[in-house]
């Protein structure tokens, strides 16, 4: 039975949208019948059955987060971690002398990697917890004809819930009856203006549940009015519950995750192939009695040497450095990996309200019928908004704020309120009746509302200083003027007045709204942020396409986009997307820059469609309706005024309204990528070259039964070279590199390794030739000749690798068209000194034998360094010519 219930709940969850659309267009009696309920509520004997069937009315993720699951995924289920752990075990168990140094490095790598993964995944559940906090309230429910308050988590489908101003909607409901009901749906839609709800759906053609006029959604609030309705969905089956599941589920892999995985896989394959090859060669070619133990020792040292141990540290140092830098610019970086995602982003999807706009309605214009600014229009609009009772909506507040700023508000002291005619949806207007204090015969009725409704009650208008009849020609002019303002993203309200003489006992009603005089219009707008236009221009210049995804209508969206620099853009509507398959959406998504009247799940679909086209996508939003899209994107960006759930889902939070930080973030992200990829490419190519040299040396020296370099020297060489690159996070980056998006490309790393790596082998082999045939170290059978060979090769390898850092760090000639940072130059210098000290200092046997400071040795090594650097520069130029890129 329980299994059956779970399946039923899953089916209900998947069909939430269709279910709401179906119920909204049915008579209420049919809905009640289907839920086995009635206008007097559920019978008390059915409640326990329904509670068992549907469970508690709480939003949450059944698959609770377990830290140990994340730990397993990061260790024994991760191929790269398995390789590292295997090497770690072997170096302390198989070798005759346990290599605790290598073991410590491996443990440090694993700790950093595992901790980062576990901490990141722990964050994903916080979003769902925020949703639970939203619904810890009580609701007024009618059961068996008795009204009582019960905890929200006890509500079940079929319950009759009563609503009043200030209430939070406890579940998805179909309205049975309402009076002046206005619901704030900003938690779902992001739009701040309340919308009116009724007991019938007036928008029957819509496929977007959020546009249903007789449905109230869990998590929204009652702005004003009263109503009662029947609950149709609870808990995870609600519209909000569907969003919660999207938000709290494991985040999809970002471009950063994919990039790091591809690089790790490449390094792993390279290491395995090279180590096995060297192990077999050493074992079969060598004539030593313990050749296989010797080969294993050498191969394990080689495995550690091939591994870029400092990659996690270089990665973290780069990301942390830029995070601190952005923190100084009032930007919180919640997930440091998102810094690189900033640099990779080539498409930014953004919500409109609260992100591109101020999310604050302002009165943009107050004009007369001629189209000229007129303070009298503002004065009449102010009197209407000021004297009305009840909750003042955002439009009223905008009118009052404007009147205060233009010093018109004192006019209310001259009047006393007599009565008002409240707003209703059928009329779409409201009126107040006021009397001038010093003139009792001057009673005025002032009405404001939708321009179409105001025109219905007006017979005359103030036009060019006269009161004229509204004929067909003037009406067309009025409608043309208001349409033009609508196309500019403004909401237009008409203002009309009339002087009336009334008896003392007159009861005011909408019948008094006749023969009125139109005096003008008030136009309101949610204006763009002051920095939006420059920020978008900067992003476009840096190669980032900007797309607007909004729940608002297409007219307003198009106008705002024009204002911020997204001109001539094509618009795709939510109802069109609803009828598209995922494949169809993928094929057309890049042709549009504005997506309007969207439901939250459609925003997620758009983001996924863009990602499927091999783009790196950022999403900027501030509402619950944006949270799912932020988690689907490679980079989630929110603003300081966002709801908690949006901030929790974001990687980056902007603390100030200045959007120009977006362009700066792109630059910092690209600089981060540049310095990370410098380390990876230089390390991989250098290690590959060393391994080729090892193969040659292994074959060459097989008859001597010796290793080309001691295992300790290999590890030390690798460590010192890595330390030489530890300053790369502070290196300079060329401007032309960060002028466009940068993303991970494992194939470019492979090409770089195969093309640049063998160059070092050429000069290593040159060193072998000089040592054997010029310096003749194998003559005389001296006991230290072989150690002399190993130490000389160690010094040559270290100095050439360190010097070439200055060549490979940029696509330009070093010190001529590009300058390394002081930190990089210093680290190369220190590495050189350390190498010379280790090679020239006596009493470091058996790891090193002291080299005799002979001018010819230094001359040879200097010539090899110069030759290597020159060849590397020429090869770099050829590589760029062939592959059109460098880093």
């Amino acid at each position: 039975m329980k299994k059956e219930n779970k399946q039923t709940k899953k089916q209900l969850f998947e069909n939430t949208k269709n279910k709401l659309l179906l119920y909204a267009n049915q008579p209420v009696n049919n809905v009640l019948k289907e839920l086995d309920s009635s206008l007097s509520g559920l019978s008390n004997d059915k409640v326990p059955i329904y509670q068992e069937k549907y469970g508690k009315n709480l939003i949450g993720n059944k698959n609770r987060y377990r830290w140990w699951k994340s730990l397993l995924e990061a260790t024994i289920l991760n191929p790269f971690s398995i390789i590292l752990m295997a090497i770690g075990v072997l170096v302390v168990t198989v070798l005759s002398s346990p290599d605790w140094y290598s073991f410590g490095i491996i443990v440090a790598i694993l700790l950093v990697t595992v901790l980062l993964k576990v901490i990141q995944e722990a964050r994903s559940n916080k979003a769902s917890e925020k949703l639970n906090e939203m619904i810890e309230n009580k609701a007024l429910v009618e059961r068996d004809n008795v009204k009582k308050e019960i905890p929200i988590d006890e509500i079940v489908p079929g319950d009759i819930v009563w609503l009043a101003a200030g209430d939070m909607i406890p579940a998805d409901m179909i309205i049975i009856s309402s009076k002046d009901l206005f619901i704030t749906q900003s938690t779902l839609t992001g739009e701040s203006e309340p919308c009116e709800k009724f007991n019938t759906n007036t928008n029957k053609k819509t496929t977007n549940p959020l546009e249903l006029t007789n449905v109230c959604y869990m998590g929204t609030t009652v702005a004003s009015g009263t109503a009662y309705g029947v609950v149709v969905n609870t808990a995870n089956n609600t519209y909000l519950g569907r969003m919660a599941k999207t938000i709290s589920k494991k985040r999809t892999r970002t471009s950063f995750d994919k990039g790091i995985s591809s690089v790790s896989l490449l390094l792993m394959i390279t290491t395995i192939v090279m180590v096995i090859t060297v192990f077999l060669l050493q074992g079969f070619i060598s004539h030593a009695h313990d050749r296989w133990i010797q080969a294993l020792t050498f191969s394990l040292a080689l495995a550690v040497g091939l591994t870029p141990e400092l990659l996690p540290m270089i990665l973290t140092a780069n990301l942390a450095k830029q995070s601190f830098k952005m923190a100084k610019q009032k930007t919180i970086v919640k997930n440091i990996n998102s810094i690189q995602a900033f640099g990779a982003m080539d498409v930014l999807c953004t919500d409109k309200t609260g992100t591109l706009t101020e999310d604050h309605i302002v009165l943009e214009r107050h004009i007369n019928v001629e189209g000229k600014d007129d303070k009298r229009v503002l004065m009449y609009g102010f009197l209407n908004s000021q004297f009305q009772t009840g909750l003042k909506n955002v439009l009223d507040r905008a009118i009052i704020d404007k009147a205060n700023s233009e010093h018109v508000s004192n006019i209310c002291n001259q009047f006393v309120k007599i009565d008002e005619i409240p707003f209703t949806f059928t009329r779409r207007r409201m009126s107040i009746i006021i009397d001038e204090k010093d003139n009792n015969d001057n009673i005025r009725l002032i009405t404001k509302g939708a321009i179409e409704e105001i025109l219905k009650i007006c017979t005359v208008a103030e036009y060019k200083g006269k009161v004229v009849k509204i004929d067909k020609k003037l009406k067309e002019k009025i409608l043309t003027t208001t349409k033009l303002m609508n196309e500019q993203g403004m909401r237009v309200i008409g203002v009309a007045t009339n002087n009336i003489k009334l008896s003392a006992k007159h009861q005011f009603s909408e019948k008094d709204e006749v023969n009125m005089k139109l005096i003008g219009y008030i136009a309101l707008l949610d204006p763009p942020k002051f920095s939006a236009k420059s920020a978008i221009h900067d992003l476009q210049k840096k190669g980032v396409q900007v797309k607007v995804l909004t729940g608002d209508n297409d007219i307003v969206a198009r106008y705002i986009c024009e204002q911020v620099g997204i001109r001539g853009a094509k618009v795709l509507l939510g109802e069109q997307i609803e009828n598209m398959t995922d494949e169809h959406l993928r094929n057309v998504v890049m042709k549009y820059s504005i997506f309007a009247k969207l439901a939250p799940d459609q925003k997620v679909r758009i983001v996924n469609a863009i990602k499927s086209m091999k783009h790196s996508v950022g999403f900027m939003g501030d509402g619950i309706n944006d949270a799912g899209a932020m988690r689907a994107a490679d980079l989630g960006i929110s603003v300081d005024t966002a709801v908690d759930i949006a901030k929790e889902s974001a990687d980056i939070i902007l603390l100030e309204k200045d959007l120009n930080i977006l362009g700066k973030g792109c630059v910092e992200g690209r600089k981060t990528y540049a310095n990370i990829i410098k380390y990876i490419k230089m390390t991989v190519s250098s290690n590959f070259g060393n391994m080729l040299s090892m193969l040659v040396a292994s074959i060459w020296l097989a008859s001597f039964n010796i290793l080309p370099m001691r295992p300790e020297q290999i590890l030390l060489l690798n460590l010192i070279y890595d330390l030489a690159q530890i300053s790369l996070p502070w290196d300079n980056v060329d401007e032309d590199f960060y002028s466009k998006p940068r993303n991970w490309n494992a194939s470019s790393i492979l090409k770089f390794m195969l093309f640049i790596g063998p160059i070092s082998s050429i000069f290593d082999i040159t060193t072998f030739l000089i040592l054997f045939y010029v310096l003749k170290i194998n003559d005389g059978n001296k006991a230290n000749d072989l150690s002399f060979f190993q130490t000389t090769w160690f010094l040559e390898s270290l100095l050439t690798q360190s010097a070439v850092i200055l060549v490979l760090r940029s696509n330009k000639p070093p010190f001529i068209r590009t300058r390394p940072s002081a930190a990089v130059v210093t680290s190369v210098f220190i590495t050189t000194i350390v190498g010379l000290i280790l090679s020239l200092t006596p009493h470091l046997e058996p790891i090193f034998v002291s080299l005799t400071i002979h001018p010819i040795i230094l001359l040879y090594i200097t010539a090899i360094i110069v030759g290597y650097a020159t060849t590397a520069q020429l090869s770099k130029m050829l590589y760029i010519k062939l592959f059109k890129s460098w880093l």
Side-chain angles (χ1 to χ4, degrees):
M1 182 67 182
K2 285 185 177 178
K3 184 178 180 182
E4 219 171 79
N5 286 340
K6 286 182 179 178
Q7 289 175 342
T8 303
K9 289 174 74 175
K10 182 178 180 182
Q11 290 168 0
L12 286 171
F13 175 82
E14 292 173 347
N15 293 298
T16 296
K17 183 162 60 177
N18 293 334
K19 186 177 179 181
L20 288 172
L21 292 169
L22 178 66
Y23 281 162
N25 293 311
Q26 283 188 31
V28 170
N29 288 335
N30 289 4
V31 177
L32 290 169
K33 185 177 180 181
E34 188 166 338
L35 295 168
D36 201 11
S37 183
S38 67
L39 291 174
S40 58
L42 287 171
S43 60
N44 289 322
D45 59 332
K46 290 178 183 174
V47 172
I49 299 171
Y50 277 34
Q51 287 177 337
E52 172 68 21
K53 180 179 180 180
Y54 295 105
K56 284 189 173 292
N57 182 30
L58 291 173
I59 290 177
N61 188 8
K62 292 181 183 178
N63 300 315
R64 291 182 60 194
Y65 172 76
R66 295 287 188 271
W67 65 268
W68 52 267
K69 286 184 180 179
S70 187
L71 183 64
L72 288 176
E73 289 176 0
T75 51
I76 62 174
L77 299 179
N78 184 293
F80 194 57
S81 295
I82 292 171
I83 294 294
L84 284 176
M85 286 189 288
I87 294 173
V89 171
L90 289 172
V91 296
V92 295
T93 56
V94 175
L95 303 183
S96 55
S97 177
D99 187 353
W100 293 107
Y101 162 75
S102 300
F103 181 77
I105 290 175
I106 291 168
V107 169
I109 296 170
L110 284 170
L111 279 175
V112 171
T113 306
V114 170
L115 285 175
L116 280 175
K117 179 175 177 59
V118 172
I119 291 170
Q120 283 174 334
E121 293 196 350
R123 288 189 181 131
S124 66
N125 280 318
K126 291 183 181 179
S128 184
E129 292 171 8
K130 290 286 182 184
L131 289 170
N132 285 332
E133 292 173 8
M134 291 177 60
I135 56 173
E136 292 176 349
N137 292 299
K138 290 187 175 183
L140 183 62
V141 173
E142 184 174 354
R143 289 175 178 170
D144 260 348
N145 218 19
V146 176
K147 295 177 187 175
K148 60 180 178 179
E149 284 195 341
I150 65 170
I152 281 178
D153 62 1
E154 295 180 9
I155 289 175
V156 293
D159 268 328
I160 302 296
V161 176
W162 290 76
L163 303 172
D167 287 347
M168 179 177 284
I169 310 298
D172 289 353
M173 299 168 50
I174 299 293
I175 298 170
I176 297 172
S177 177
S178 67
K179 182 179 180 182
D180 301 331
L181 179 66
F182 284 83
I183 301 294
T184 300
Q185 295 188 161
S186 59
T187 53
L188 296 178
T189 64
E191 305 307 318
S192 56
E193 187 177 342
C195 56
E196 190 168 14
K197 298 286 185 175
F198 320 96
N199 61 354
T200 56
N201 178 30
T202 61
N203 195 4
K204 294 185 181 298
K205 292 184 179 180
T206 185
T207 56
N208 181 357
L210 293 176
E211 294 179 356
L212 297 171
T213 58
N214 63 336
V215 178
C216 293
Y217 300 93
M218 184 183 205
T220 60
T221 54
V222 180
S224 63
T226 59
Y228 65 93
V230 58
V231 172
V232 293
N233 287 327
T234 57
N236 288 335
N237 295 325
T238 62
Y239 199 87
L240 186 62
R242 292 178 66 235
M243 294 175 64
K245 186 170 183 179
T246 302
I247 294 165
S248 63
K249 70 181 181 181
K250 186 177 177 181
R251 188 167 190 170
T252 56
R253 296 179 75 209
T254 65
S255 60
F256 179 86
D257 299 326
K258 293 174 182 176
I260 289 294
S261 295
S262 62
V263 170
S264 298
L265 183 62
L266 173 66
L267 296 177
M268 185 176 67
I269 293 172
T270 304
T271 300
I272 292 172
V273 171
M274 296 300 291
V275 167
I276 291 175
T277 304
V278 170
F279 171 72
L280 293 175
L281 278 174
Q282 279 292 129
F284 284 115
I285 295 176
S286 175
H287 302 294
H289 67 281
D290 60 345
R291 62 184 185 274
W292 288 108
I293 295 295
Q294 195 179 70
L296 180 62
T297 303
F298 184 65
S299 299
L300 288 176
L302 208 58
V304 178
L306 269 172
T307 305
E309 296 94 342
L310 296 187
L311 177 57
M313 189 171 72
I314 294 287
L315 195 65
T316 304
N318 267 288
L319 297 170
K321 172 180 174 286
Q322 302 302 344
S323 296
F324 292 141
K325 191 171 181 179
M326 292 189 71
K328 293 178 182 178
Q329 300 177 37
K330 301 293 181 68
T331 301
I332 295 176
V333 180
K334 288 175 55 188
N335 174 9
I336 62 172
N337 289 352
S338 62
I339 294 292
Q340 195 279 322
F342 233 145
M345 179 178 71
D346 61 346
V347 177
L348 174 64
C349 298
T350 175
D351 182 36
K352 178 184 68 67
T353 306
T355 48
L356 292 182
T357 68
E358 298 285 359
D359 195 17
H360 176 66
I361 303 294
V362 297
L363 195 156
E364 190 77 4
R365 299 196 68 186
H366 44 87
I367 60 176
N368 56 32
V369 179
E370 297 173 52
K372 297 177 181 178
D373 290 339
D374 193 331
K375 272 196 176 182
R376 288 180 66 252
V377 178
L378 175 60
M379 180 191 73
Y380 280 107
F382 167 72
L383 289 171
N384 180 286
S385 294
Q386 182 67 24
F387 280 117
Q388 76 170 77
T389 56
L391 185 72
K392 289 180 169 56
N393 62 30
V394 289
L395 305 182
D396 292 314
R397 291 196 294 271
I399 293 169
I400 292 169
D401 288 344
K402 186 68 171 181
N404 288 330
S405 67
E406 295 203 7
H407 309 291
V408 174
S409 55
N410 290 334
I411 191 70
C412 65
N413 296 328
Q414 301 175 24
F415 296 90
V416 60
K417 179 181 175 181
I418 297 175
D419 204 349
E420 71 177 84
I421 308 169
F423 180 92
T424 63
F425 179 77
T426 53
R427 290 165 45 248
R428 292 201 299 164
R429 58 181 183 265
M430 75 85 54
S431 300
I432 56 133
I433 299 92
I434 57 175
D435 188 7
E436 196 169 350
K437 290 180 180 179
D438 298 332
N439 186 357
N440 293 333
D441 293 330
N442 191 15
I443 298 175
R444 300 183 188 179
L445 185 147
I446 302 174
T447 305
K448 76 174 191 300
I451 191 66
E452 299 86 354
E453 302 303 322
I454 293 295
L455 282 175
K456 289 179 182 177
I457 59 173
C458 289
T459 55
V460 294
E462 285 187 2
Y463 186 63
K464 295 184 178 180
K466 298 178 182 179
V467 176
V468 299
K469 184 180 179 181
I470 300 179
D471 56 17
K472 185 178 179 180
K473 185 177 180 181
L474 182 56
K475 186 176 181 179
E476 287 178 355
K477 175 179 173 56
I478 292 168
L479 293 175
T480 301
T481 302
T482 55
K483 183 182 177 183
L484 181 62
M485 288 190 284
N486 281 328
E487 290 173 350
Q488 294 175 343
M490 290 181 271
R491 178 170 178 175
V492 182
I493 295 173
V495 180
T497 185
N498 196 7
N499 291 345
I500 52 179
K501 291 185 179 181
L502 303 168
S503 63
K505 295 183 178 180
H506 183 79
Q507 295 293 318
F508 290 97
S509 70
E510 60 186 81
K511 293 179 181 179
D512 294 302
E513 296 173 334
V514 292
N515 300 322
M516 299 193 69
K517 176 176 63 179
L518 178 67
I519 60 169
Y521 331 103
I522 288 174
L524 303 109
L525 176 70
D526 181 9
K529 289 183 176 177
F530 72 98
S531 59
K533 186 172 184 178
S534 59
I536 287 175
H537 175 71
D538 188 35
L539 287 170
Q540 291 170 336
K541 195 168 68 172
K542 288 181 169 64
V544 180
Q545 297 181 56
V546 180
K547 297 181 182 293
V548 175
L549 281 61
T550 179
D552 209 345
N553 69 70
D554 50 321
I555 296 175
V556 174
R558 190 191 295 274
Y559 174 73
I560 292 296
C561 289
E562 289 282 343
Q563 292 292 99
V564 299
I566 306 175
R567 296 187 174 88
K570 294 174 67 177
V571 180
L572 188 64
L573 300 178
E575 59 189 41
Q576 295 172 283
I577 293 172
E578 190 65 26
N579 297 320
M580 290 182 179
T581 62
D582 289 341
E583 184 179 358
H584 185 190
L585 183 58
R586 277 196 300 270
N587 292 335
V588 303
V589 70
M590 296 308 296
K591 298 176 183 179
Y592 296 88
S593 295
I594 302 173
F595 301 83
K597 302 185 80 173
L598 297 177
D601 60 331
Q602 291 173 336
K603 292 185 178 184
V604 175
R605 284 188 66 197
I606 292 167
V607 168
N608 286 332
I610 298 172
K611 285 177 67 177
S612 70
M613 302 299 289
K614 307 300 181 186
H615 290 282
S616 184
V617 184
F619 190 95
M620 183 168 66
D622 67 340
I624 290 180
N625 60 317
D626 299 317
M630 279 193 279
R631 292 195 63 77
D634 296 301
L635 174 68
I637 307 169
S638 193
V639 292
D640 62 326
T641 56
V643 297
D644 287 346
I645 192 73
K647 290 181 183 177
E648 206 61 51
S649 300
D651 302 301
I652 303 281
I653 300 175
L654 310 181
L655 296 181
E656 292 191 341
K657 292 184 176 181
D658 188 357
L659 295 180
N660 287 304
I661 190 66
L662 295 172
K664 295 175 184 176
C666 289
V667 170
E668 299 306 328
R670 293 168 192 179
K671 286 182 178 179
T672 299
Y673 171 80
N675 288 333
I676 292 173
I677 203 67
K678 285 176 191 178
Y679 169 77
I680 293 174
K681 285 192 171 182
M682 284 192 281
T683 301
V684 169
S685 62
S686 174
N687 289 348
F688 180 70
N690 284 342
M691 295 312 102
L692 288 177
S693 301
M694 290 290 179
L695 286 173
V696 174
S698 295
I699 297 171
W700 196 336
L701 299 176
S703 58
F704 294 94
N705 295 325
I706 63 163
L707 299 172
M709 195 180 292
R710 294 179 63 87
E712 297 92 333
Q713 289 175 326
I714 294 173
L715 296 173
L716 195 58
L717 175 65
N718 187 58
L719 176 64
I720 296 173
Y721 181 58
D722 277 345
L723 291 175
Q725 298 176 90
I726 205 167
S727 60
L728 285 176
W730 290 268
D731 192 21
N732 300 326
V733 178
D734 299 330
E735 186 176 349
D736 60 347
F737 184 87
Y738 59 73
S739 63
K740 61 181 181 179
R742 300 288 176 177
N743 215 331
W744 295 96
N745 185 353
S747 64
S748 76
I749 297 172
L750 182 62
K751 283 187 292 188
F752 193 96
M753 179 184 76
L754 296 175
F755 196 92
I756 302 298
I759 297 173
S760 65
S761 299
I762 294 171
F763 288 90
D764 285 337
I765 293 169
T766 302
T767 301
F768 300 162
L769 293 171
I770 291 172
L771 289 171
F772 272 80
Y773 299 110
V774 179
L775 299 180
K776 300 184 184 298
I777 65 162
N778 59 329
D779 286 358
N781 296 316
K782 295 178 181 178
N784 67 346
D785 276 354
L786 299 177
S787 295
F788 183 89
F789 172 88
Q790 291 170 335
T791 302
T792 304
W793 187 24
F794 170 87
L795 179 62
E796 179 268 339
S797 292
L798 181 61
L799 296 185
T800 52
Q801 283 182 315
S802 301
V804 85
I805 289 174
L806 303 174
V807 177
L808 300 183
R809 56 166 291 278
S810 170
N811 63 337
K812 299 173 183 175
F815 299 104
I816 299 173
R817 294 179 57 199
T818 181
R819 292 183 180 276
S821 67
V824 171
V825 174
T826 302
S827 66
V828 170
F829 176 76
I830 291 173
T831 302
T832 303
I833 298 301
V834 169
L836 289 170
I837 290 173
L838 289 173
S839 302
L840 302 177
T841 301
H843 311 301
L844 293 180
E845 294 90 350
I847 299 177
F848 294 100
V849 60
S850 177
L851 296 176
T852 304
I853 304 178
H854 196 288
I856 194 166
I857 294 177
L858 296 179
L859 180 63
Y860 282 138
I861 291 177
T862 302
I864 287 171
I865 292 172
V866 173
Y868 183 24
T870 304
T871 305
Q873 176 61 34
L874 293 172
S875 300
K876 178 172 71 176
M877 295 166 65
L878 178 61
Y879 182 94
I880 294 170
K881 186 175 181 179
L882 291 174
F883 301 113
K884 312 301 179 186
S885 66
W886 180 238
L887 294 177

